[in-house]
Amino acid sequence: MEEALRTPEMVVRLRIYRHTDPAALARVAELKNLQSLSISLADVSQLLPRLDKMKNLQILHLQACNIPTFPESILSLSNLRSLSIGNSSLGALPEKISGLDKLEELSLSQNSLERIPQSIGRLTQLQRLGLSYNKLEELPESLGNLGALVWLFLDVNRLRQVPESIGELARLKSLSLNCNDLRTIPESICRLTSLERLSIERNPLESLPGCLSTMGIETISIEAEKRPLFMDWTYQPSDQPPRIALTDMKLFVEPASPFHAPLLAATESYGAGEFAPLILGLAREAVRIDSTVPDDYSRPGNSRLGGFPDLSDSELFPRDEEGRYWIFLAQLNLEDLASLNTYLPRAGLLSFFIESTESLKARVLFFEGDVRELKTIRHAGGEAMTDDTDDYTQSPYGVKFQRFVSLPHCPPEEMESGEAPDTYEKIRELSKGGDHYINGYTFTQHESPQEQAANELRGKPEEWVPLLQLGWDDKVGFCFWDAGTVTFTIHREDLRRGDFSRVHASLETS
């Protein structure tokens, strides 16, 4: 800043970060030709009253500067095109904001705004409006006068409704309303023919306009279980006949399961008997997979982690358009698993591939014949693969299977208060251990693999089954990003049919 003040007439852009001297900072107002000013984490208390002297200013960004009251001096900046006051405890917006009629961008996110004045509707050149992370409960009808608006961000407020005038924003391309208190959005949204992206996650929605499914919106971000509010999101399996009844799949622990009694006893011993039905209802009949000894490929169709796959034809090995081989992760001999589960086919071989840990395109091959007839299909590894950073061809390992019970890593909502979380963690000791599972829960900080699959491929999250989870393994070399977990998920109707053609893959990592 000192250098800028030595030649004030030459400076048109200035950025200031963590300035601790408010008196020295006030001298910025001497830069008469300044057009763009950005200040973060600084005391601007002495500068703000002098901003009206900076008549050429077009861009003013103030971030984390503690500005509880909107500065009157800013209203004099008639050439201002972009104004941002963020994370500054701003409590109100004056009616006179309408005087800044050249504004094209206005961002007031991460403040304490409880209302927006009707006069905002006079900012007719506004193209981007950011009001996320405030305390807004309603919006003015005059919002519909912002005919040039393209991007509107209203996430994390307390909005209970959206004004009907939203339908007048003919140029609006992106509307974000995540984390509010909306039960619905108005039918007038159907008139937003330019809308390309709509985000309405984490709202207590009860109904939505049916037009959302026919408007041609490129991206609608909403929980899978809420998509049926405006469209048919039913998963459509193939025409193959089911091989097993849903009731016979036994994906969850039932009274006859060897895990039922220990779980029930654990809930009672820790004084959580009232939660027993809840916990038992969540417990999955899983299979734990552990790598054992190196696999020398002497037994075709052997259950294996890493290395190369056993296939009936080399052409079945998935490749990209340039002929590079996908990443082979595992193959499971279903006969080895037959006594440990009721939901997988009784015999055959499942082989698991992903294109890369970036694209996460998945392919699962199901061979139903005599696995002894299969041949190991090899390639050069490294550059011959779609992603040589995930080359697991050098250390193939055999595996052992163990019947297991799996519980969610985090307590259910009903057990999130008081001592219940600690109690749940004690009960969950019964399901700890191992890094690879069939039909187990995956730790995630965001959407579960089942939710991701339902969002992308339809159906409800509870209809999707975690077919295989592969975590960190120092023997095989598995380390997906930051010791993450790759999860292959299948819809239960496809699993019933032995149809593995539409398996979804996801990667959870910290």
Side-chain angles (χ1 to χ4, degrees):
M1 189 181 78
E2 290 74 14
E3 183 179 351
L5 289 171
R6 283 195 290 269
T7 55
E9 69 284 350
M10 302 292 292
V11 182
V12 294
R13 294 184 181 86
L14 182 62
R15 286 189 176 186
I16 299 172
Y17 179 71
R18 286 189 182 277
H19 200 284
T20 57
D21 186 344
L25 190 58
R27 294 191 60 199
V28 169
E30 298 173 16
L31 306 176
K32 306 297 184 182
N33 295 323
L34 199 65
Q35 296 178 17
S36 176
L37 176 60
S38 178
I39 303 176
S40 301
L41 292 164
D43 185 346
V44 295
S45 58
Q46 295 186 37
L47 170 63
L48 292 179
R50 305 181 65 187
L51 285 177
D52 55 357
K53 302 179 184 301
M54 308 177 73
K55 300 299 184 182
N56 291 313
L57 207 58
Q58 298 180 24
I59 299 172
L60 176 59
H61 293 171
L62 304 171
Q63 186 70 22
C65 290
N66 190 25
I67 309 173
T69 303
F70 192 91
E72 190 81 16
S73 57
I74 291 179
L75 300 175
S76 301
L77 303 177
S78 58
N79 289 313
L80 211 56
R81 285 177 167 77
S82 177
L83 173 61
S84 174
I85 303 177
N87 193 19
S88 294
S89 304
L90 186 65
L93 199 60
E95 288 284 346
K96 292 181 180 180
I97 189 71
S98 59
L100 300 176
D101 54 9
K102 291 184 181 178
L103 274 181
E104 297 173 2
E105 297 183 356
L106 177 60
S107 177
L108 302 170
S109 298
Q110 292 181 293
N111 285 296
S112 300
L113 298 174
E114 296 183 0
R115 62 177 295 274
I116 300 298
Q118 287 285 347
S119 61
I120 199 170
R122 298 178 195 151
L123 302 179
T124 55
Q125 295 190 41
L126 208 59
Q127 297 177 27
R128 181 186 291 267
L129 178 57
L131 298 170
S132 297
Y133 291 90
N134 278 286
K135 301 177 181 179
L136 301 174
E137 295 186 2
E138 60 182 7
L139 298 169
E141 281 290 336
S142 63
L143 193 71
N145 297 333
L146 304 178
L149 202 62
V150 179
W151 298 277
L152 178 56
F153 304 98
L154 296 161
D155 300 314
V156 196
N157 276 286
R158 302 170 182 175
L159 295 175
R160 291 172 295 193
Q161 61 182 14
V162 176
E164 285 286 338
S165 62
I166 193 83
E168 304 301 320
L169 304 179
R171 297 184 184 179
L172 196 66
K173 291 184 179 180
S174 180
L175 174 59
S176 194
L177 292 159
N178 296 322
C179 301
N180 278 284
D181 195 25
L182 298 172
R183 264 62 177 177
T184 188
I185 54 178
E187 291 282 343
S188 61
I189 199 171
C190 302
R191 302 201 297 270
L192 300 182
T193 55
S194 298
L195 196 62
E196 297 175 356
R197 180 177 181 83
L198 173 64
S199 299
I200 45 177
E201 294 181 298
R202 299 185 183 180
N203 281 284
L205 295 166
E206 297 173 355
S207 65
L208 286 169
C211 66
L212 293 180
S213 64
T214 59
M215 289 173 61
I217 302 174
E218 292 180 8
T219 304
I220 299 180
S221 297
I222 186 174
E223 296 87 346
E225 63 268 22
K226 293 176 183 175
R227 287 187 180 272
L229 292 175
F230 67 94
M231 67 186 305
D232 181 7
W233 200 247
T234 305
Y235 185 83
Q236 296 296 334
S238 68
D239 294 332
Q240 297 181 35
R243 303 181 178 197
I244 184 174
L246 277 175
T247 53
D248 293 334
M249 293 179 73
K250 295 181 172 55
L251 293 162
F252 292 88
V253 168
E254 297 184 358
S257 167
F259 303 112
H260 189 274
L263 280 171
L264 186 59
T267 58
E268 293 176 349
S269 66
Y270 292 121
E274 62 181 300
F275 297 114
L278 175 64
I279 293 172
L280 288 167
L282 293 170
R284 286 187 171 275
E285 280 280 358
V287 177
R288 174 174 161 177
I289 306 172
D290 292 292
S291 53
T292 53
V293 297
D295 189 329
D296 59 5
Y297 302 107
S298 60
R299 178 190 167 197
N302 188 36
S303 293
R304 178 185 307 143
L305 299 180
F308 296 103
D310 298 335
L311 303 172
S312 60
D313 190 323
S314 62
E315 293 300 315
L316 294 175
F317 203 132
R319 305 187 196 189
D320 67 6
E321 295 179 353
E322 299 177 14
R324 295 176 299 184
Y325 291 91
W326 284 26
I327 302 163
F328 168 69
L329 294 177
Q331 64 183 35
L332 304 179
N333 187 311
L334 297 174
E335 191 171 348
D336 296 342
L337 287 159
S339 63
L340 303 176
N341 79 94
T342 57
Y343 40 84
L344 292 172
R346 302 292 87 192
L349 189 75
L350 288 177
S351 304
F352 296 80
F353 304 82
I354 56 172
E355 183 183 43
S356 71
T357 51
E358 294 292 335
S359 74
L360 286 172
K361 291 182 180 177
R363 186 82 55 84
V364 177
L365 302 179
F366 178 31
F367 177 76
E368 296 190 76
D370 186 346
V371 298
R372 294 173 297 180
E373 299 175 358
L374 299 176
K375 296 181 179 179
T376 304
I377 308 301
R378 303 170 187 261
H379 56 69
E383 294 182 358
M385 302 173 61
T386 51
D387 189 346
D388 59 7
T389 61
D390 287 305
D391 183 352
Y392 307 117
T393 61
Q394 302 303 309
S395 301
Y397 266 76
V399 302
K400 66 178 180 180
F401 300 114
Q402 174 186 349
R403 193 172 177 181
F404 205 65
V405 62
S406 182
L407 287 170
H409 292 260
C410 298
E413 184 177 350
E414 295 86 343
M415 297 185 70
E416 289 181 343
S417 60
E419 298 180 1
D422 293 335
T423 300
Y424 177 79
E425 191 61 25
K426 293 175 182 177
I427 296 170
R428 208 177 72 82
E429 288 291 331
L430 292 172
S431 71
K432 290 184 178 180
D435 294 291
H436 319 303
Y437 304 96
I438 297 168
N439 193 37
Y441 284 98
T442 299
F443 173 76
T444 176
Q445 300 182 63
H446 304 288
E447 290 182 321
S448 69
Q450 295 96 312
E451 288 171 327
Q452 294 178 52
N455 271 324
E456 295 181 30
L457 300 176
R458 299 198 173 212
K460 299 176 181 179
E462 61 267 25
E463 297 171 353
W464 287 84
V465 179
L467 178 62
L468 176 66
Q469 294 125 304
L470 297 172
W472 182 82
D473 193 308
D474 60 345
K475 294 179 182 177
V476 185
F478 286 165
C479 185
F480 309 114
W481 290 6
D482 186 15
T485 301
V486 172
T487 303
F488 293 85
T489 314
I490 186 171
H491 195 275
R492 66 188 183 193
E493 289 299 328
D494 287 339
L495 185 56
R496 290 178 65 200
R497 290 163 170 77
D499 179 3
F500 297 88
S501 62
R502 286 187 287 178
V503 171
H504 180 272
S506 60
L507 174 56
E508 316 304 321
T509 182
S510 57

